[in-house]
Amino acid sequence: MKEITLDVRGMSCGHCVNAIEGSVGELQGVRHVKVDLQKAQLSLSYDESAVSLSEIQEAIEDQGYEVA
């Protein structure tokens, strides 16, 4: 299990948090997702054999946010 923190640009409200946590949380292999709106960060743990970092970033970008 790998744990990472990503900087995410473009978040401004609770809807943003829900959109990102929901889309990333649905990916196979993602175990834990938590967005910190104040820090503009996403913390997660995932199984590298089931999902790649690029797939996680794509899920975030598909919601309209930018991974810094």
Side-chain angles (χ1 to χ4, degrees):
M1 201 60 64
K2 183 170 183 170
E3 295 185 19
I4 60 169
T5 300
L6 301 172
D7 293 323
V8 180
R9 296 186 181 144
M11 299 185 299
S12 61
C13 64
H15 172 74
C16 301
V17 171
N18 292 336
I20 293 173
E21 287 182 347
S23 65
V24 173
E26 290 178 356
L27 295 173
Q28 183 176 3
V30 173
R31 300 290 181 243
H32 170 78
V33 181
K34 180 66 179 163
V35 172
D36 185 327
L37 187 58
Q38 299 291 34
K39 292 182 181 179
Q41 292 182 331
L42 166 70
S43 299
L44 70 149
S45 58
Y46 66 100
D47 181 350
E48 291 178 286
S49 66
V51 65
S52 69
L53 180 56
S54 62
E55 289 173 299
I56 294 167
Q57 290 174 326
E58 185 177 319
I60 295 167
E61 291 167 358
D62 284 350
Q63 294 298 315
Y65 306 99
E66 180 183 349
V67 178

